[in-house]
Amino acid sequence: MLQKLGDSLKDSLNKLKTSLFIDDSIINDIVRDIQRALLQSDANVKLVLDLSTKIKQRAKEPVTGISKRDYLIKVVYEELTTFLGEDTHKIEVNKKPTTIMLIGLFGSGKTTTTAKLAKFYKKRGHKVAVVETDTWRPAAYDQLLQTSSQIGVDFYGDKAEKDPTQIYLKFEDKLKDYDIVIVDTAGRDRLSDELVEELTQLNHAVNADHRILVLSGDIGQGAEKQAQMFHDTAGVTGIILTKMEGTAKGGGALSACHVTGANVLYLGTGEKLEDLEEYHPKRFVGRLLGMGDLETLLERAQEAMSEEKAEDMQKRFQKGNFDLNDLYEQMNALKSMGSLGKIMEMIPGMGSLKLPKEALDVQEEKLKKWKYAIDSMTPYERSNPDCFNSNRVDRVAMGSGLSIREIRDLLKQYKQSKKMMKMFNGEQDVNKLMQKMKGKRGF
Ligand code: GDP
Ligand code: MG
């Protein structure tokens, strides 16, 4: 889905992740890449320029707490999210009946989507009716009659009546018994005066709570004008993008959101009735960029370890006084960032790189136990780990509910970490350091 757009955006973000210095030229580069990617997917030129300006402006702001690089990734991510729509929007069923009218041109996917929505809401326990008002294409009647009986929702239509408004009015009373009423309408090849007039009348009669514009994801630049005209005719309240499973485009349809001020609610991702997804912009952008849930990661990283704290710890390492308190702090930072597996998923590029689950589980289990052990130690023991004799080990084992062996493992790990620190600090020559490390592979 939107694969091509995603790929080119991914490339530009990789540039950002791998560049040594973050300066104006790299920022300009990235903004240009993003522009190209969005324009190639038919997004509106002005909107893309606005987005670029915003990214450049925010890139200039001073940052604290996270690196410039992370900040920029965050900015790009946030601005793209805003561009594609901020939050998830749903059709709330808080009124009986909640009426939904689908509008759009021929072949955009209205009749299919009517059935998809009916299925979606029926599955959630609502009493659903569908109404066919397309008198322009007789096949629409049969199409919806067949799919609605397949799903098991009630169908209303009248093949003999030529006026869509009359069809609706004929069933209006009966429709009051339903939780949700979905009205399918006729389209045309283009938005003609005839269609505008027909829709204006029908819209007036139905007075639908939700007027949903159905757009094909591959629609291109024409989307904006079309969306504007449908909006002027019926006041579009939401958008459903169809045929989103294979297309490299989608940007055009997304521009339609900005024109109408309406949000994308669902994506159609296939011809089958279950091929309907709720639209989650943040997840969508993350997926588009192959970034995982980057925003959450950045937030948590910031909470877990402020920059000063990290710096402070580094200084302690350098002085060589790394004690169990520090080990504990490290573990806490890790723990408060969530499970290791989740962290891996959230790190750009690591999401697809699956670590064996057992390895993660073992590591996590170990961390948990060590945390119990360190909790059972006295402050003196934590800052002077060398003081541990078998009495102390016994006591900590008892207190933490762990075995003596597990406590000894922890102390061993601590000693190794400390040795490693010393090695890093004492050796300025990288080659020599590598030599030393080779001898210590087991660590
Ligand atoms: P309408 O003229 O707006 O009512 O459009 P239809 O519902 O009749 O759909 C037109 C064509 O698009 C049909 O062949 C549908 O099967 C197809 N279609 C609708 N939605 C999707 C979708 O999400 N993905 C794909 N691949 N095809 C779709
Ligand atoms: Mg139709």
Side-chain angles (χ1 to χ4, degrees), residues 105 107-112 116 137 143 243 245 268-271:
L105 294 185
S108 57
K110 294 179 298 301
T111 310
T112 312
K116 283 180 178 178
R137 264 188 171 177
Q143 189 186 339
K243 306 176 199 178
E245 70 272 15
T269 55
E271 296 197 34

Side-chain angles (χ1 to χ4, degrees), residues 33-279:
D33 283 352
I34 292 173
Q35 285 175 347
R36 197 176 309 134
L38 287 173
L39 291 173
Q40 270 169 4
S41 85
D42 287 328
N44 174 289
V45 177
K46 184 177 175 299
L47 295 172
V48 172
L49 290 181
D50 286 351
L51 173 77
S52 317
T53 314
K54 254 197 223 147
I55 293 179
K56 282 188 190 168
Q57 258 169 13
R58 288 189 60 191
K60 287 203 192 93
E61 287 165 20
V63 287
T64 51
I66 56 175
S67 74
K68 184 96 184 170
R69 187 189 317 271
D70 283 349
Y71 172 70
L72 258 183
I73 294 177
K74 192 168 181 283
V75 166
V76 169
Y77 173 77
E78 281 172 357
E79 290 303 328
L80 275 171
T81 307
T82 311
F83 185 76
L84 299 178
E86 207 116 14
D87 302 314
T88 302
H89 295 267
K90 290 187 185 163
I91 298 178
E92 299 293 343
V93 188
N94 45 18
K95 173 175 163 279
K96 193 178 167 181
T98 294
T99 44
I100 301 171
M101 185 167 92
L102 300 190
I103 58 179
L105 294 185
F106 269 163
S108 57
K110 294 179 298 301
T111 310
T112 312
T113 306
T114 302
K116 283 180 178 178
L117 282 174
K119 180 169 175 144
F120 181 89
Y121 285 107
K122 183 180 174 191
K123 228 161 109 187
R124 281 155 183 76
H126 296 295
K127 192 177 173 200
V128 184
V130 295
V131 186
E132 184 54 74
T133 68
D134 184 353
T135 58
W136 190 256
R137 264 188 171 177
Y141 181 99
D142 303 318
Q143 189 186 339
L144 192 58
L145 176 61
Q146 198 235 325
T147 45
S148 57
S149 72
Q150 202 179 313
I151 305 162
V153 301
D154 292 343
F155 170 89
Y156 293 90
D158 183 349
K159 235 178 172 171
E161 176 59 62
K162 287 295 162 219
D163 181 352
T165 303
Q166 288 309 314
I167 298 179
Y168 180 79
L169 292 176
K170 187 170 159 186
F171 302 117
E172 196 177 22
D173 263 354
K174 279 196 189 144
L175 294 171
K176 289 187 177 130
D177 289 342
Y178 293 87
D179 299 328
I180 299 184
V181 175
I182 308 169
V183 181
D184 186 25
T185 65
R188 297 292 189 278
D189 287 331
R190 52 187 188 84
L191 203 87
S192 60
D193 291 348
E194 189 186 38
L195 178 58
V196 169
E197 200 174 307
E198 188 180 299
L199 273 183
T200 305
Q201 244 191 59
L202 184 64
N203 184 41
H204 190 71
V206 177
N207 192 17
D209 303 306
H210 306 276
R211 281 102 43 204
I212 312 287
L213 177 62
V214 180
L215 286 175
S216 170
D218 54 15
I219 183 167
Q221 289 284 1
E224 207 190 322
K225 199 162 157 227
Q226 213 188 98
Q228 185 67 58
M229 289 174 81
F230 274 107
H231 189 49
D232 292 344
T233 306
V236 171
T237 60
I239 292 172
I240 294 180
L241 302 179
T242 64
K243 306 176 199 178
M244 290 297 280
E245 70 272 15
T247 175
K249 303 270 178 169
L254 291 165
S255 307
C257 308
H258 291 266
V259 173
T260 57
N263 295 293
V264 178
L265 304 172
Y266 294 95
L267 303 178
T269 55
E271 296 197 34
K272 292 202 291 296
L273 294 182
E274 55 274 14
D275 297 333
L276 186 77
E277 287 180 15
E278 278 178 334
Y279 176 66

